[in-house]
Amino acid sequence: MKFTLSWLKDHLETEASLEAILEALTDLGLEVEEVSDPAATLGAFRIARVIEAAPHPDADRLRLCRVEVRDGPDAPPEEVQVVCGAPNARTGMLGVFAPVGTHVPGTGVDLKPGVIRGQESNGMLCSERELMLSDDHEGIIDLPQDAPLGVRYIDYAGLNDPMIYIKITPNRPDALGVRGVARDLAARGLGRLKPLDIAPVPGSFDSPIGVSIDPALKDKGCPLFAGRVIRGVKNGPSPDWLQKRLRAIGLRPISALVDITNFFTFDLNRPLHVFDADKVQGGLRIHPAQGGEELLALDEKTYALAPGQMVISDDTGPESIAGIMGGEHSGCTEDTVNVFLESAFWDPITIAATGRALKINSDARYRFERGVDPEFTLPGLELATRMVLDICGGEASGVVMDGAVPDHARSYRFDPADVGRIVGMDIPEAEQRATLDALGFRLEGDQAHPPSWRPDILGSADLVEEIARIASLSRLQGAPLPRVAPGVPRPILTPLQKREGAARRQLAALGYNECVTYSFIDQASAALFGGGDDSVMLQNPISSEMSHMRPDLLPGLLQAAARNQARGAKDLALFEVGPAFSGGEPGEQAIHATGLLVGAAAGRDPHGSLRRADLYDAKADAEAVLAAIGAPEKLQITRDVPGWFHPGRSGRIGLGPKLGLAVFGELHPKVLRAMDVKGPAVAFSVWLENPPQPRKRSLARPALQASDLQPVERDFAFVLDAQVEAAAVVNAAAGADKALIDGVRVFDEFTGEAASAQMGEGRKSLAITVRLQPRQRTLTEAEIEAVSDKIVAKVQKATGGVLRG
Amino acid sequence: MDGISELRARYLDQVAGAADADALEAVRLAALGKKGEISLKMRELGRMTPEERQTAGPALNGLKAEIDSALRARRAALEDAALDARLQAEWLDVTLPGRPRPRGSIHPVSQVMDELTAIFGDMGFSVAEGPQIESDWYNFDALNIAPEHPARQEHDTFFMHRAAGDNRPPHVLRTHTSPVQIRAMQDQGAPLRVIAPGRVYRMDMDQTHAPMFHQVEGLAIDRAITMAQLKWTLEEFCRAFFEVDEVELRFRASHFPFTEPSAEVDIRCSWADGQLRIGEGDSWMEILGSGMVHPHVLRAGGIDPEQWQGFAFGMGIDRIAMLKYGIPDLRAFFDSDLRWLRHYGFAALDLPDLPGGLSR
């Protein structure tokens, strides 16, 4: 919402400074976005006289001007020499002069004393473009001979009027008119709201155009439609004051009739429409569109109307999209002599729906969908009639109307204690009542009746807000919020929140860099990771790169890896802890902790050669996360992994066959190629919700079982089929004597071609260390031998492995 | 017994002159070995008279002990010298780099969320969460944003696809963390104190906007909570979060459908040489929106507004992270540039807490 200071003062009698007004506006909730003050930008430009304009001795196109300048109307004259290139510079003319030191907005240059082709030049005679008043650069400003020397040009030209741009929150349609803004300022105490004189204009004949509202719209869509014919008008440019106002707020003056309707839109938040009455056939009918009607609107676009959208039609068809935009056919032109002036009240919801469907953003729609003052429909029509008659002449008919002002009467309990109880501000009751009164509320006992222009007031809480707002929330003093309970605060995080934190800190400690990637990705990437169907598709994505909710965190991390590789980074350890989406319903999301390793796990350095990250790095890190979040220790590794992993080099960590806790492994080369990542790469995901919560948390640890007796370690090497898994060997060995065997550890694997050559095709050797922990007494050699035999037998039975000779 | 002096002098000389362990062993054998000169002399004691033995015995024993001691001392000295020589030879270049230890990092958004938790946790706020794909009821209607209200359009909402024939209104990607207010009220009832940090989504992308960012919501409901207490809570939060001694906040009337009265909150600050200082100077910077929970919202959460009242606030986590840590560009938060992650990230052990101060 834009207006100028002088426009505001049409409604507000005030001595307040611009500064004070701006501060109050922002504080009242009418936040000032921008101010342009011509006194600040153009205050140095004054009216001056060209004493003599002589040819420049060394340049044909330049003139040497002796200029009489005054630093104010009563200041002594001074003579200044200026070199000027304007063709219209001539002896005796009056123009606009900028002294040395002035910032010229049109050129962006600060004027300095200069020498042009050997002649001194101390200042500038300016064109309108240099003052950014218009695009005119044909010549310098040429003022009438009675223009007062030394006066600031902005004062002389009536341009000294600051423009104020405020942001209006959607609840304040009343502030979309200058008068509403003035009312707030008056309530704050910054002046007095001037009375609005509404004298009805009597009609001298009956309107030849009648109006009727379709019964389907009378209850809701269009409760009231009024208008009248004004005949014999002369349309043309609107008067200077009106043009200046519209220009100041960024509107282009068009013609008197159009400018008048625009003026009422911004002055009183009363959008109007004028039809060329000679182009209207028969009466005007307000009705829902049947669907399929087309209308060329004033923005020169053709709109096809959908069933139910409100239109105003004459006998030949639609002439206006009701409350949103008029039609080109019945619009006013320079030649218009008879007009029909419309003022109506439209249902905000219907207007909003139609405007959105047709994608029309007009000032009328903007106001009607927020809610204009229904009571002002007819007064607005009278005021506008008066202005049309004043500016364009002519003669008005009587008012024709259908419908009535909709009932907006309501009242809410006003309790002066509420402001203290809710806001915590101490405001005397008299001040509270005065505030409501100034805003237009009617107070009756303990009931407050909101004014017709405040559709947003819908309860007692709104009264509190108005009182506190006008009093100024800047007066509010903080008051301590007591603790919930005295003493040391209780813990507040849920077990899952603690898991997220633990996983995150553990991964960072392992050397991973945390990323936060977008929750939406492109369809192709989503599809590679088991997602990308319509249930997780956005209806209105911002780009095709962000069209589907991610099914997994890996695609985002892989894209991040590809970007980093493109920047020259080779070795990457990236992770993210965040949501992945299995469907499009609320709650179909799970928290993953996902890590990605690309490149070397150990870089090339003096201490060893480069080692690529492999699946065992991913596995160890997944296990570290599981340990950090308190997952059970005994977990099973299986090979049922999703398709984006290398089928032979990946595994799933689960608690039994049903409950998966994590996957890890090398990523499928096809997936890496599709994601543009130079591999190989390994990754893991831990599903943080899945590990069961410990049933009961006991803080006391079980007693330490530490034997004083020396443990004994024995090594075994087995020859096995190459695809026998180490876990089978370890489990078999551990089961040989559960009381005595304290641990089994794989310490070597000999596999590949060399192993085949030694031990036969498809064979490998696996070496384990078994740790025996005696409890009662030291083991004898014979006892150790006996256990060893059992271990060998167990492993052989379980895996077919034989002791390597 | 001149022989003794002569023996002592000779062997001590030889011990001192032994250049290595082998030479020293040869001296030991020559003197004290089975057939060593001193051992042989001691064997002769048996053939002496008791008188002779009285003097020769102690003298020989003394000589043997003295030579033995000299041998041991010499052996130790030779070993020390050998060790010294070996250690000298074992020189390594200590300026070579140590074995690399990985250095990971925590994203600033996560770090700031942990800071928020530390501060508000101390004030008795727990952390609430909710789904990021939300029904339009939770995201809008329950928060007093009616379907056709212009405020709803101003949210630049992402909608989820609806299959043909599914006539429910489309779900949305939550445009703010406020729907978590409703879920927390429904789940926990009153009294209630929660914060709800998390991802939110708006259809907006330019220099200063990303289509996804992070907000934190705060909600406190009790019998007599006031806007003055809201102000104090925010003052305490800002003082602790920005780690300054004093802050000054300014409440400015505004409008949010879910609060009434509503206020934008500005913080006093100064900008000098591109450096932001909180708590001093003549500038005001908007940092969050807040207000008293609207009765409709309490009702939507199943709480009786005649019995309970409270405040709510919401602010951008990315934004306060940028302000506190001087991070210039929002979109870089989500770009995962390794150089950025390392530069603006935090160490794993930098877990914020109040006793140690939030930051290192």
Side-chain angles (χ1 to χ4, degrees):
Chain A
M1 169 70 187
K2 290 177 179 173
F3 56 91
T4 68
L5 184 61
S6 75
W7 196 341
L8 179 68
K9 286 180 176 177
D10 280 0
H11 295 282
L12 184 71
E13 197 178 297
T14 183
E15 298 299 316
S17 67
L18 178 63
E19 280 301 303
I21 288 171
L22 298 176
E23 205 167 286
L25 285 170
T26 293
D27 188 59
L28 284 163
L30 308 173
E31 191 179 350
V32 176
E33 286 271 291
E34 188 193 324
V35 181
S36 63
D37 184 0
T41 53
L42 298 176
F45 296 80
R46 291 181 186 272
I47 298 171
R49 187 170 70 91
V50 179
I51 304 166
E52 188 196 6
H56 189 290
D58 298 315
D60 293 345
R61 307 260 284 276
L62 296 179
R63 267 161 229 279
L64 206 54
C65 301
R66 289 166 50 217
V67 184
E68 177 192 340
V69 302
R70 292 166 194 259
D71 194 20
D74 304 320
E78 259 183 87
E79 192 181 312
V80 173
Q81 174 169 294
V82 174
V83 176
C84 179
N88 64 337
R90 63 181 191 280
T91 300
M93 81 179 289
L94 268 57
V96 176
F97 175 77
V100 165
T102 308
H103 178 81
V104 180
T107 60
V109 171
D110 293 331
L111 288 180
K112 292 190 192 81
V115 176
I116 300 172
R117 297 273 181 114
Q119 298 295 325
E120 275 188 24
S121 185
N122 292 307
M124 182 186 238
L125 288 161
C126 301
S127 69
E128 287 198 353
R129 192 168 82 181
E130 277 147 357
L131 270 61
M132 286 189 38
L133 297 176
S134 76
D135 288 337
D136 188 1
H137 199 49
E138 287 296 292
I140 55 177
I141 297 170
D142 192 350
L143 297 175
Q145 282 299 315
D146 61 358
L149 287 182
V151 166
R152 294 197 302 184
Y153 177 64
I154 50 168
D155 295 330
Y156 169 77
L159 298 170
N160 188 12
D161 194 7
M163 189 282 291
I164 301 164
Y165 174 26
I166 55 178
K167 201 164 87 183
I168 305 294
T169 51
N171 62 321
R172 290 298 306 279
D174 64 302
L176 294 172
V178 179
R179 188 166 181 80
V181 176
R183 186 181 294 109
D184 260 25
L185 289 167
R188 170 55 72 83
L190 254 71
R192 195 178 65 87
L193 188 67
K194 292 181 184 173
L196 193 62
D197 180 23
I198 303 160
V201 180
S204 55
F205 60 99
D206 287 340
S207 169
I209 295 175
V211 297
S212 65
I213 304 170
D214 190 289
L217 296 182
K218 247 185 186 161
D219 277 350
K220 183 157 179 274
C222 179
L224 173 61
F225 187 95
R228 72 191 336 167
V229 165
I230 306 172
R231 68 187 179 199
V233 300
K234 187 181 174 317
N235 198 11
S238 57
D240 195 42
W241 69 266
L242 181 51
Q243 294 203 16
K244 252 185 209 148
R245 288 238 160 123
L246 296 181
R247 264 202 209 98
I249 62 167
L251 291 182
R252 191 166 52 91
I254 293 168
S255 69
L257 289 168
V258 175
D259 293 354
I260 289 168
T261 62
N262 281 335
F263 175 77
F264 276 86
T265 299
F266 286 87
D267 188 51
L268 294 164
N269 190 31
R270 178 64 253 178
L272 303 161
H273 183 62
V274 274
F275 296 86
D276 186 328
D278 296 331
K279 292 175 189 159
V280 174
Q281 306 291 314
L284 290 175
R285 196 165 62 84
I286 300 92
H287 64 98
Q290 290 187 333
E293 296 98 323
E294 290 202 339
L295 178 69
L296 177 64
L298 283 169
D299 61 1
E300 296 172 2
K301 288 184 194 154
T302 299
Y303 294 94
L305 301 170
Q309 294 177 341
M310 295 191 292
V311 282
I312 305 170
S313 297
D314 66 0
D315 290 355
T316 64
E319 292 293 350
S320 172
I321 305 169
I324 294 175
M325 192 173 278
E328 174 72 20
H329 168 257
S330 55
C332 289
T333 66
E334 294 286 309
D335 307 324
T336 298
V337 286
N338 301 310
V339 298
F340 183 83
L341 181 61
E342 164 207 323
S343 181
F345 183 77
W346 307 101
D347 169 50
I349 291 175
T350 315
I351 294 293
T354 302
R356 203 162 56 248
L358 297 177
K359 296 191 172 73
I360 301 178
N361 290 309
S362 65
D363 287 324
R365 171 197 163 186
Y366 189 76
R367 283 166 172 75
F368 282 127
E369 74 181 9
R370 281 161 173 74
V372 303
D373 180 0
E375 292 285 355
F376 198 69
T377 314
L378 290 172
L381 180 64
E382 298 292 0
L383 286 174
T385 305
R386 169 54 48 211
M387 192 178 281
V388 171
L389 295 179
D390 287 351
I391 292 176
C392 305
E395 162 181 32
S397 80
V399 171
V400 286
M401 62 180 273
D402 195 7
V405 174
D407 181 23
H408 54 80
R410 61 198 189 279
S411 70
Y412 305 104
R413 208 173 88 86
F414 165 60
D415 182 349
D418 280 353
V419 176
R421 182 175 63 82
I422 294 172
V423 182
M425 259 165 92
D426 185 21
I427 302 173
E429 180 174 349
E431 185 184 330
Q432 296 192 28
R433 286 181 174 271
T435 293
L436 291 175
D437 184 63
L439 291 173
F441 287 79
R442 189 162 53 79
L443 289 162
E444 247 178 28
D446 69 348
Q447 293 293 303
H449 301 258
S452 57
W453 55 81
R454 290 298 299 269
D456 59 308
I457 304 292
L458 292 167
S460 298
D462 296 283
L463 306 179
V464 172
E465 176 168 67
E466 290 306 293
I467 293 163
R469 180 175 75 84
I470 298 296
S472 179
L473 289 174
S474 65
R475 282 162 53 179
L476 184 62
Q477 294 295 316
L481 179 71
R483 282 187 178 279
V484 179
V488 179
R490 307 293 188 271
I492 48 143
L493 294 180
T494 63
L496 181 58
Q497 288 162 352
K498 289 174 79 169
R499 281 183 180 181
E500 279 182 54
R504 180 177 287 123
R505 300 273 162 187
Q506 174 67 78
L507 283 166
L510 287 168
Y512 288 77
N513 299 104
E514 188 185 13
C515 304
V516 174
T517 67
Y518 288 114
S519 301
F520 22 56
I521 52 171
D522 59 290
Q523 199 275 337
S525 298
L528 282 175
F529 292 84
D533 64 28
D534 286 356
S535 72
V536 290
M537 180 167 75
L538 298 189
Q539 198 181 85
N540 54 338
I542 204 157
S543 80
S544 61
E545 301 299 304
M546 301 181 172
S547 59
H548 287 70
M549 301 309 287
R550 61 186 184 185
D552 198 277
L553 273 51
L554 273 174
L557 288 176
L558 284 166
Q559 286 172 352
R563 286 194 298 273
N564 278 299
Q565 284 184 335
R567 293 184 192 109
K570 287 196 195 80
D571 305 327
L572 297 163
L574 303 177
F575 84 99
E576 181 166 8
V577 177
F581 299 84
S582 56
E585 292 296 318
E588 289 182 332
Q589 67 180 57
I591 303 286
H592 294 194
T594 298
L596 172 68
L597 290 169
V598 185
R604 207 165 49 151
D605 64 34
H607 316 302
S609 57
L610 178 143
R611 185 176 72 75
R612 289 204 163 280
D614 61 27
L615 88 103
Y616 301 109
D617 292 303
K619 184 185 182 191
D621 293 339
E623 286 171 340
V625 172
L626 286 169
I629 65 172
E633 278 179 32
K634 287 214 180 306
L635 296 168
Q636 292 79 48
I637 313 277
T638 54
R639 288 182 171 271
D640 46 337
V641 292
W644 52 90
F645 281 105
H646 184 311
R649 296 185 175 179
S650 56
R652 169 185 178 275
I653 305 177
L655 191 60
K658 287 205 179 120
L659 186 63
L661 306 188
V663 282
F664 64 89
E666 198 170 308
L667 288 167
H668 200 294
K670 274 188 183 173
V671 169
L672 292 182
R673 204 176 314 132
M675 302 294 297
D676 237 357
V677 171
K678 291 187 272 298
V682 297
F684 62 88
S685 280
V686 178
W687 304 307
L688 296 183
E689 278 115 331
N690 287 12
Q693 293 295 342
R695 239 173 267 128
K696 193 170 160 233
R697 194 160 149 259
S698 168
L699 297 177
R701 312 285 174 92
L704 174 65
Q705 303 286 335
S707 172
D708 287 339
L709 301 170
Q710 279 268 3
V712 179
E713 292 198 343
R714 282 289 181 274
D715 294 348
F716 303 85
F718 293 99
V719 176
L720 301 146
D721 275 347
Q723 295 215 338
V724 170
E725 290 176 331
V729 177
V730 168
N731 288 340
D737 185 336
K738 283 183 178 147
L740 202 52
I741 295 174
D742 191 40
V744 181
R745 192 170 59 82
V746 178
F747 72 88
D748 191 34
E749 188 197 29
F750 178 41
T751 185
E753 279 178 30
S756 290
Q758 268 190 37
M759 292 170 287
E761 191 58 35
R763 308 284 280 170
K764 71 173 173 188
S765 149
L766 198 72
I768 60 173
T769 287
V770 178
R771 185 182 164 96
L772 306 172
Q773 177 62 64
R775 304 282 167 190
Q776 270 93 37
R777 54 185 175 73
T778 310
L779 297 174
T780 62
E781 245 344 280
E783 284 167 328
I784 297 170
E785 276 307 312
V787 176
S788 298
D789 290 347
K790 264 184 126 173
I791 289 169
V792 171
K794 275 269 187 187
V795 169
Q796 182 159 22
K797 191 167 172 233
T799 68
V802 294
L803 212 52
R804 191 173 170 193
Chain B
M1 294 293 290
D2 286 349
I4 299 256
S5 313
E6 187 272 332
L7 277 175
R8 174 189 291 118
R10 181 150 50 85
Y11 280 113
L12 285 180
D13 258 14
Q14 286 184 14
V15 167
D20 55 29
D22 291 346
L24 194 63
E25 182 63 6
V27 175
R28 187 186 72 80
L29 288 174
L32 303 177
K34 273 188 182 162
K35 290 180 181 163
E37 200 171 357
I38 294 170
S39 303
L40 292 176
K41 284 232 184 254
M42 291 188 78
R43 255 181 251 164
E44 285 169 16
L45 286 176
R47 279 175 275 150
M48 288 182 188
T49 63
E51 291 75 24
E52 283 173 326
R53 214 180 294 150
Q54 284 254 309
T55 51
L60 276 173
N61 272 324
L63 176 63
K64 183 185 172 191
E66 192 175 351
I67 299 297
D68 187 57
S69 156
L71 281 166
R72 285 172 195 280
R74 182 62 185 155
R75 187 175 301 126
L78 283 174
E79 278 170 6
D80 276 356
L83 183 62
D84 283 350
R86 196 186 95 212
L87 293 185
Q88 282 300 318
E90 284 175 352
W91 183 95
L92 289 180
D93 182 351
V94 294
T95 66
L96 283 176
R99 285 204 173 72
R101 294 286 179 266
R103 198 168 58 86
S105 61
I106 296 285
H107 196 282
V109 166
S110 300
Q111 185 72 12
V112 167
M113 283 190 184
D114 285 343
E115 295 184 14
L116 292 166
T117 305
I119 298 169
F120 283 108
D122 186 70
M123 294 198 268
F125 287 72
S126 57
V127 180
E129 289 162 318
Q132 301 186 11
I133 297 175
E134 261 296 6
S135 73
D136 67 338
W137 189 84
Y138 277 104
N139 196 71
F140 293 123
D141 302 53
L143 292 161
N144 200 32
I145 309 173
E148 296 299 336
H149 197 271
R152 194 134 161 178
Q153 271 65 59
E154 291 184 0
H155 271 239
D156 301 320
T157 311
F158 282 114
F159 294 95
M160 296 301 295
H161 171 76
R162 268 273 172 261
D166 186 345
N167 293 324
R168 295 176 297 159
H171 292 324
V172 302
L173 293 186
R174 65 178 183 194
T175 57
H176 45 188
T177 42
S178 307
V180 184
Q181 282 188 24
I182 305 293
R183 291 183 179 274
M185 285 191 266
Q186 288 177 337
D187 292 349
Q188 301 174 41
L192 180 65
R193 288 187 195 183
V194 291
I195 57 167
R199 297 177 172 212
V200 299
Y201 306 86
R202 302 266 178 112
M203 239 186 83
D204 209 348
M205 175 119 102
D206 58 32
Q207 277 310 108
T208 56
H209 294 89
M212 177 186 92
F213 55 103
H214 298 80
Q215 271 188 351
V216 61
E217 193 80 6
L219 176 69
I221 309 237
D222 214 320
R223 301 275 180 193
I225 281 186
T226 65
M227 203 167 187
Q229 289 174 328
L230 165 65
K231 190 173 186 200
W232 179 88
T233 302
L234 293 174
E235 283 165 349
E236 284 298 296
F237 162 72
C238 289
R239 192 182 51 70
F241 177 76
F242 289 110
E243 303 181 46
V244 292
D245 291 334
E246 288 300 326
V247 294
E248 192 182 341
L249 297 185
R250 181 176 75 176
F251 273 38
R252 212 161 20 81
S254 188
H255 168 74
F256 307 107
F258 30 93
T259 50
E260 190 152 59
S262 302
E264 298 266 24
V265 180
D266 300 337
I267 191 164
R268 185 183 283 285
C269 64
S270 71
W271 289 95
D273 310 322
Q275 190 82 30
L276 172 73
R277 286 185 196 284
I278 297 284
E280 57 183 60
D282 295 325
S283 297
W284 293 95
M285 180 178 52
E286 188 179 312
I287 53 163
L288 61 94
S290 67
M292 299 302 290
V293 182
H294 198 290
H296 289 358
V297 175
L298 289 171
R299 238 174 255 124
I303 289 175
D304 180 3
E306 299 294 322
Q307 302 290 320
W308 304 93
Q309 61 188 49
F311 64 68
F313 59 85
M315 68 188 127
I317 291 176
D318 326 75
R319 181 168 150 73
I320 59 173
M322 290 165 79
L323 293 174
K324 179 170 182 178
Y325 293 111
I327 307 174
D329 180 11
L330 171 66
R331 289 183 306 171
F333 275 63
F334 312 118
D335 189 50
S336 310
D337 184 331
L338 193 57
R339 298 164 298 183
W340 190 95
L341 297 176
R342 286 186 171 146
H343 182 76
Y344 290 111
F346 294 81
L349 290 177
D350 287 347
L351 184 61
D353 66 19
L354 295 177
L358 293 178
S359 59
R360 273 209 284 212

